[in-house]
């Protein structure tokens, strides 16, 4: 979702002023080692500690963070987690990047974060039909991030069934459904068909 940022200086992640993002080593939440905060990798068994860390940003409880769509200038809407600035831990250098009316978002599938204007942050479930359509470029990365977001939502709300996705320029007609991809999609399709208890 975000443009590649510059290297690292003094061990702190830097970011392009234009894209307002930063990348950390490894895949978002998929490291084989727990973070320094003790957070387990996303695919690991759930421990009592449900914290989550990316680039020094520590979500105290990832399930309390809003799953959202966020848009940086020059990029499509991308799924992510909204950081609660009053509860979660944010490095001083990351906080210093913030401007008025911006939310800190950790992007799924990107191992990056960005400060996004509040009006460009939408609830994931409410905006799904409009924002879940594949972008023109980076389809594989987008679909991987979308599946990660769907898995997160399914852990919180087993009854969520992704609505049909609106195609570009076709309004509400001619939609396709991302629910058919992966285990989360199969489970959602089974629920929609009344096959899930």
């Amino acid at each position: 979702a975000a443009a590649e940022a510059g290297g690292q200086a003094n061990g702190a992640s830097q970011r392009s002023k234009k894209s307002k993002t930063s990348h950390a080593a490894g895949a978002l939440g998929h490291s084989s080692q727990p973070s320094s905060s003790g957070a387990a990798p996303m695919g690991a068994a759930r421990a009592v500690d449900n914290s989550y860390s990316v680039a020094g940003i520590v979500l105290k409880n990832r399930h309390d963070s809003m799953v959202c769509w966020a848009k940086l200038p020059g990029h499509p809407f991308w799924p992510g987690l909204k950081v609660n600035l009053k509860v979660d831990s944010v490095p001083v250098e990351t906080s210093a990047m913030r401007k008025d009316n911006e939310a800190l978002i950790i992007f799924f599938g990107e191992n990056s974060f960005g400060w996004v204007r509040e009006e460009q942050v939408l609830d994931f479930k409410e905006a799904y039909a409009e924002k879940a359509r594949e972008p023109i470029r980076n389809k594989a990365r987008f679909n991987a991030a979308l599946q990660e977001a769907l898995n997160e939502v399914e852990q919180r709300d087993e009854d969520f069934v992704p609505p049909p996705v609106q195609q570009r320029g076709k309004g509400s007609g001619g939609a396709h459904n991302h629910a058919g991809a992966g285990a989360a999609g199969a489970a959602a399709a089974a629920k929609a068909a009344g096959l899930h208890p």
Side-chain angles (χ1 to χ4, degrees), residues 6-182:
Q8 294 195 357
N10 300 328
S13 294
Q14 292 185 338
R15 55 125 178 123
S16 160
K17 289 184 181 181
K18 183 176 180 183
S19 69
K20 301 174 88 174
T21 62
S22 179
H23 294 262
L28 177 67
H30 291 286
S31 66
S32 58
Q33 297 295 320
S35 70
S36 60
S37 69
M42 222 155 90
R46 297 281 175 207
V48 174
D49 178 15
N50 196 19
S51 64
Y52 183 64
S53 178
V54 171
I57 302 165
V58 180
L59 303 179
K60 299 244 188 267
N61 185 340
R62 70 178 286 143
H63 294 306
D64 290 341
S65 298
M66 175 183 163
V67 180
C68 64
W69 293 100
K71 184 176 185 337
L72 287 168
H75 298 279
F77 272 91
W78 204 268
L81 291 171
K82 183 177 180 182
V83 177
N84 182 337
L85 299 175
K86 294 179 181 175
V87 174
D88 299 322
S89 176
V90 179
V92 173
E93 61 272 14
T94 301
S95 293
M97 298 175 191
R98 182 180 187 210
K99 293 183 182 175
D100 288 338
N101 299 317
E102 287 186 331
L104 183 56
I105 307 297
I106 296 173
F107 293 102
F108 284 114
E110 293 294 296
N111 196 34
S112 66
F113 64 91
W115 288 101
V116 179
R117 291 188 341 251
E118 286 282 355
E119 63 267 14
Q120 295 292 318
V121 178
L122 308 173
D123 180 84
F124 181 81
K125 292 192 291 187
E126 290 175 13
Y128 184 88
E130 181 183 351
K131 302 303 180 194
R133 63 179 170 242
E134 291 178 333
I136 294 169
R137 293 184 302 252
N138 301 317
K139 292 178 183 180
R141 285 178 34 224
F142 177 82
N143 286 331
L146 180 60
Q147 188 60 55
E148 196 172 338
L150 285 168
N151 291 343
E152 181 71 28
V153 169
E154 185 176 84
Q155 290 175 4
R156 300 171 186 207
D157 179 3
E158 292 181 5
D159 295 328
F160 176 68
V161 176
V165 176
Q166 295 176 7
Q167 292 295 314
R168 283 179 186 80
K170 297 194 179 188
S172 60
H176 73 278
N177 194 340
H178 278 282

